[in-house]
Amino acid sequence: MLETEIRDLFQRQVASDLPVARVSIAEAHRAARRRLRLRRAAAAVSPLIAAVAVLAIAASGSALTGAGRAPAGPGGQPAAPRQFSSTRSYVRLTWLPGRSAVTQYRLSSASDGLDISSSIVWDFGAMAAGQCQLRHRTLSCPVIRGLPLRRVVGLVGGRPMYLSVLGINVRILSWEYAPGAWAQMAGTSGASAVRAALRIARGARFGPAVAAPARFPYRLVGVPAGWSLSGLSISPGYHDLIQTATFSAPASSRLSAPVITAAPAGTMASCKRLIASPAVGEYQVRYQTIRGYRVLLSFGPAGQGSPRQHSLCVPDADGTLLELQGGPNSSMVPVFEHLRLLGANPARWTTRPLG
Amino acid sequence: MTSQRDHDYIEYVTLRLPALRRLALLLCQDLHRADDLVQQAIIRVYLHWPKAARAGNIDAYVHTIVVREFLHERRSSWTRRVSVTGDLPDTPAATPDQDWSLDLRAAVAALPPRQRAVLVLRFYCDLSIDQTAHALQCTPGTVKSQTAKALGSLRTALGREAGRARFQDATSLRSHGEAASNA
């Protein structure tokens, strides 16, 4: 029977020893603790401070909404670059269904991702040129490979939009927004939502100037050459602006490149909640005053073969909560010494977080 | 400061990592993607650890996380980066196997993710229809129909491969015959 052969196949596939795992439990543990901290920090900020932050963002034109008239639609779309900016979204959505909002922007050199939260939940992604390959009506992008493009559901900027269905009810819409550059939307809603998704796609504007650059409440100064911002995520939809910037440094750098999370100022309790889930093994926490700011330093975990992870949290650095997460065995105190704080007024923030 | 939660989590994941990798391998049919899936799933295990610890069967709970993460990752993860340590290991050459087994393996790998997940849960994890439905967040009827569709797809694919093999054998025999007669 076929069922028996399937069982035998599965048993044979897993019977042999697997190669050494590339999975890092320590890294997963760290990432999970980090997510918990962000969730707790988002819930901990006072409503008054959150309201001020929202108004300030609105007054400054928001971190990522474009100023001025949007350029022509995809019909006159310039060629997409092979690398996006990590501080400026390459896409802006000019139409969303009622009661919808973009809840997170994720920027990197390879792609921009937008999470749209509404009664229909869609992920929107724009890939830089060359990230996807179309061969024999099958599209392969970094995340989803081998997606068959069979059914055209409409035109976007004169180019076909393809609908692919995965599993029972997962719909993926793909279209080429510029020569060699693809965008995709994915959701699990019903067929009727495809019409709304088509309208979202037709309202998408692409280009290096469709969105204002992100603004940062700090600047890293005096860091060694070769540092760069490799990724940025911004969550404007939870009454706070939570911004997480991932920096990269050459291997020879004496300073460890941090991951910096910024949010409206909180209290030391906010920082305590960020480290409320310490890891196994030796884990240390202490308070210290650095540059006149009261900070919470944490070290851990050690043991289990994993190096120490350092973090530094300032609950109120001139109106901004900052958390610096470091690499193995690298204190974040020296990095904090290189941080120029720009206050709580977004008008005084910078679009260049390095230099 | 220490936490019992963290201690229990680290201990569990360390012990069960090989089993999770095997499950992920069957779902993804690719070792590199399987490790990425496990890396992502064990993050979620930590986030849901209090609930997992209270579950009657932690393994089943964690397997459900792995399967749902597999299906969710296939739906949408545009810029989700999974940090996985170490160099890519050399993949050993496939051991010699019968054509039939290779065809079946390829046919399983070609199934849609959800159908493949149903087969893995039912024929590797030996879950019941109801248990499979709970893991996949669907109805038992859907599990039955997905199973039937998967098996039907496999039978069709294997039947097609068997036919192609017979055709290739026939043409090979014919060419050998012609060569012999021309010699």
Side-chain angles (χ1 to χ4, degrees), chain A residues 168-228:
Chain A
I168 297 175
N169 200 29
V170 176
R171 282 159 174 80
I172 297 183
L173 296 163
S174 310
W175 72 103
E176 194 176 15
Y177 69 89
W182 288 79
Q184 290 181 309
M185 296 181 67
T188 57
S189 303
S192 60
V194 172
R195 288 192 295 274
L198 197 58
R199 193 170 171 187
I200 294 173
R202 286 170 175 160
R205 296 292 177 261
F206 299 87
V210 297
R215 302 179 75 86
F216 299 79
Y218 56 83
R219 176 179 280 176
L220 276 168
V221 297
V223 295
W227 279 48
S228 63

Side-chain angles (χ1 to χ4, degrees), chain A:
Chain A
M1 282 180 62
L2 183 57
E3 288 86 340
T4 303
E5 282 151 1
I6 293 172
R7 287 183 197 276
D8 290 343
L9 171 67
F10 287 160
Q11 291 300 329
R12 277 201 305 278
Q13 280 188 284
V14 299
S16 57
D17 290 335
L18 298 179
V20 174
R22 297 185 300 123
V23 180
S24 169
I25 297 173
E27 181 64 30
H29 191 205
R30 178 169 170 260
R33 284 175 51 233
R34 193 177 159 63
R35 270 195 219 178
L36 275 182
R37 290 191 289 234
L38 284 175
R39 285 183 191 174
R40 288 165 181 161
V45 176
S46 71
L48 179 60
I49 295 171
V52 170
V54 169
L55 287 173
I57 292 163
S60 70
S62 176
L64 285 175
T65 56
R69 200 174 57 180
Q77 190 63 37
R82 299 193 74 83
Q83 278 198 334
F84 288 156
S85 164
S86 293
T87 62
R88 193 168 193 161
S89 178
Y90 196 77
V91 59
R92 182 163 68 92
L93 303 180
T94 62
W95 184 87
L96 285 174
R99 294 190 297 276
S100 299
V102 176
T103 56
Q104 189 176 64
Y105 299 85
R106 296 185 299 279
L107 312 183
S108 72
S109 60
S111 61
D112 287 351
L114 287 73
D115 290 347
I116 303 169
S117 181
S118 69
S119 57
I120 55 169
V121 180
W122 291 88
D123 284 347
F124 186 106
M127 272 65 73
Q131 290 292 317
C132 299
Q133 286 79 39
L134 178 64
R135 188 173 297 173
H136 305 308
R137 297 181 66 187
T138 299
L139 183 68
S140 288
C141 294
V143 173
I144 300 179
R145 298 189 180 280
L147 187 70
L149 303 184
R150 298 285 182 265
R151 181 181 161 195
V152 176
V153 294
L155 295 179
V156 179
R159 292 191 173 95
M161 171 180 267
Y162 300 93
L163 171 65
S164 307
V165 180
L166 297 182
I168 297 175
N169 200 29
V170 176
R171 282 159 174 80
I172 297 183
L173 296 163
S174 310
W175 72 103
E176 194 176 15
Y177 69 89
W182 288 79
Q184 290 181 309
M185 296 181 67
T188 57
S189 303
S192 60
V194 172
R195 288 192 295 274
L198 197 58
R199 193 170 171 187
I200 294 173
R202 286 170 175 160
R205 296 292 177 261
F206 299 87
V210 297
R215 302 179 75 86
F216 299 79
Y218 56 83
R219 176 179 280 176
L220 276 168
V221 297
V223 295
W227 279 48
S228 63
L229 176 67
S230 58
L232 179 68
S233 76
I234 298 180
S235 303
Y238 298 104
H239 308 296
D240 311 311
L241 179 67
I242 297 180
Q243 179 195 81
T244 300
T246 303
F247 293 89
S248 301
S252 58
S253 174
R254 59 181 173 80
L255 278 181
S256 176
V259 175
I260 300 180
T261 297
T267 64
M268 193 54 77
S270 308
C271 282
K272 287 181 184 177
R273 272 187 282 269
L274 291 180
I275 60 164
S277 297
V280 67
E282 190 180 347
Y283 193 94
Q284 299 175 12
V285 176
R286 73 165 190 257
Y287 298 98
Q288 194 167 326
T289 299
I290 303 176
R291 296 170 55 188
Y293 300 99
R294 195 75 176 148
V295 307
L296 184 66
L297 298 173
S298 61
F299 314 88
Q304 300 283 334
S306 62
R308 284 181 176 277
Q309 307 290 342
H310 290 244
S311 70
L312 181 155
C313 182
V314 189
D316 190 347
D318 298 340
T320 304
L321 181 149
L322 289 173
E323 191 208 17
L324 283 66
Q325 281 270 314
N329 296 320
S330 296
S331 168
M332 286 291 98
V333 174
V335 179
F336 184 60
E337 301 277 0
H338 285 265
L339 213 57
R340 179 176 297 168
L341 305 172
L342 303 178
N345 183 0
R348 299 187 58 189
W349 293 355
T350 180
T351 58
R352 298 175 56 187
L354 278 170

